[in-house]
């Protein structure tokens, strides 16, 4: 168990990330790629990525064993600003950080000649790492970005509503069964070690992750940016199903989408809303809004979950893709039909 000790200043600096961190998604997807966990959610994705995996990306696997420790320098703070910023920060990793992290990694995976040269800070090895991270992200993460974004957007909408209803303490407690809030300490269960981390006014960033599986994770070194990466509550179906290859037959409920009212409902759900809010935005009765939402849910275009006493609707990846395409066509003066 890891105990995160909060002060009043830490509660003020508590942040919920606006979206997934591409460096964390890259790292955690590498764990899942080498593992068999994730069931049906990741089976199709894992099969497709393994089939396309180039031997040039193998060095990256040396740094990311499916269990145990992976170097903290793979997930720099700058990753919150996008993949390019994260890779730039990776290239700027100080040599003492490289050595310290790779020394910890050696306890889980023997060092190779490449990881030894990386620990020495050799620029060629560091640039190879940056290149493989970018290439792997393009292969394994970027093609599924709409799916990942939709799931994390739905997560953020849900957590923001919980935060507004029950406050920070209640929101933290609702994130995951392994998280327990015992003021002023957040307990993170599921780890074999016991460690205390004192935030000391630095705050804590919560990062929702699509590829984080089963339990939350965080950086090993307590002097680095305090973050807690946790799995999204609903991954909205098997990863790899897209509009071009839908997980349903042509005679499924998707055909019921045709029509102006349901198009307006799909548009209204984009920002996340309750059934009451949906009815008000579209200008229909509560019963009509509920009926249209049910059809969209059966068509796998929206997701519905209960938050307290309300029912919250949010887009699924397929719904986000269809809506995004319709908006692009409309902006270009084309007929989306």
């Amino acid at each position: 168990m890891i105990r995160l000790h909060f002060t009043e200043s830490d509660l003020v600096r508590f942040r919920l990330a606006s979206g997934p961190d591409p460096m964390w998604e890259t790292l955690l997807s590498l764990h899942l790629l080498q593992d068999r966990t994730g069931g049906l959610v990741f089976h199709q994705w894992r099969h497709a990525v393994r089939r396309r995996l180039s031997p040039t990306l193998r060095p990256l696997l040396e740094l990311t064993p499916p269990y145990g420790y992976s170097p903290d320098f793979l997930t720099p703070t700058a990753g919150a600003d996008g993949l390019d910023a994260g890779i730039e920060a990776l290239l700027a990793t100080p040599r003492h950080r490289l050595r310290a992290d790779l020394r910890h990694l050696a306890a889980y995976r023997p060092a190779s000649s490449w990881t030894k040269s990386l620990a020495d800070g050799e620029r060629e090895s560091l640039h190879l790492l940056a290149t493989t991270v970018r290439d792997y992200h393009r292969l394994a993460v970027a093609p599924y970005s709409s799916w990942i974004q939709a799931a994390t957007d739905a997560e953020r909408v849900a957590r923001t509503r919980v935060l507004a209803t029950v406050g920070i303490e209640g929101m933290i407690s609702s994130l995951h069964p392994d998280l327990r809030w015992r003021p002023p300490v957040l307990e993170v269960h599921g780890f074999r070690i016991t460690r205390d981390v004192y935030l000391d006014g630095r705050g804590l960033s919560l990062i929702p992750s699509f590829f984080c599986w089963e339990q939350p994770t965080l950086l090993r070194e307590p002097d680095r940016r305090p973050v807690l990466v946790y799995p999204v509550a609903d991954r909205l179906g098997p990863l790899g199903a897209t509009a071009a290859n839908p997980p349903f037959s042509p005679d499924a409920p998707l055909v019921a989408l045709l029509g102006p009212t349901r198009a307006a409902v799909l548009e209204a759900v984009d920002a996340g809303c309750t059934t009451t809010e949906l009815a008000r935005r579209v200008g229909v009765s509560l019963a009509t809004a509920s009926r249209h939402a049910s059809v969209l849910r059966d068509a796998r275009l929206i997701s519905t979950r209960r938050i307290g006493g309300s029912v919250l609707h949010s887009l699924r990846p397929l719904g986000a893709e269809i809506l995004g395409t319709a908006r692009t066509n409309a902006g270009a003066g084309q007929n989306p039909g």
Side-chain angles (χ1 to χ4, degrees), residues 93 95 98-99 116-126:
T93 306
R95 184 177 299 181
L98 295 170
R99 286 179 174 173
K116 289 178 180 177
S117 67
L118 186 61
D120 289 336
E122 292 186 8
R123 300 305 298 174
E124 183 178 347
S125 297
L126 197 54

Side-chain angles (χ1 to χ4, degrees), residues 95-264:
R95 184 177 299 181
H96 73 274
R97 291 288 193 191
L98 295 170
R99 286 179 174 173
D101 287 1
L102 291 172
R103 190 182 307 120
H104 292 307
L105 177 65
Y108 298 91
R109 180 162 289 181
S112 67
S113 58
W114 177 70
T115 56
K116 289 178 180 177
S117 67
L118 186 61
D120 289 336
E122 292 186 8
R123 300 305 298 174
E124 183 178 347
S125 297
L126 197 54
H127 279 279
L128 175 60
L129 173 59
T131 298
T132 55
V133 167
R134 188 182 296 279
D135 289 347
Y136 172 80
H137 183 275
R138 183 169 54 246
L139 167 74
V141 180
Y144 308 94
S145 59
S146 63
W147 197 273
I148 296 167
Q149 190 67 52
T152 51
D153 283 349
E155 175 69 23
R156 180 174 173 78
V157 169
R159 297 307 163 196
T160 300
R161 289 180 176 273
V162 173
L163 179 63
T165 303
V166 296
I168 290 177
E169 296 182 6
M171 194 271 282
I172 291 177
S173 299
S174 72
L175 286 174
H176 192 274
D178 284 344
L179 299 178
R180 297 172 194 171
W181 176 248
R182 305 184 191 277
V185 176
L186 174 60
E187 297 178 349
V188 187
H189 293 258
F191 290 89
R192 295 180 180 179
I193 62 172
T194 298
R195 180 157 55 94
D196 289 279
V197 177
Y198 294 87
L199 301 179
D200 293 330
R202 294 173 295 164
L204 180 70
S205 294
L206 288 178
I207 304 176
S209 169
F210 190 93
F211 286 104
C212 185
W213 185 251
E214 293 186 336
Q215 73 176 84
T217 187
L218 63 167
L219 297 173
R220 181 186 187 279
E221 295 301 324
D223 64 329
R224 303 186 188 182
R225 176 188 59 150
V227 298
L228 182 65
V229 183
Y230 70 97
V232 296
D234 186 1
R235 289 176 178 80
L236 314 172
L239 182 63
T242 65
N245 182 30
F248 38 71
S249 61
D251 60 345
L254 181 60
V255 296
L257 283 172
L258 299 176
T261 303
R262 285 196 189 113

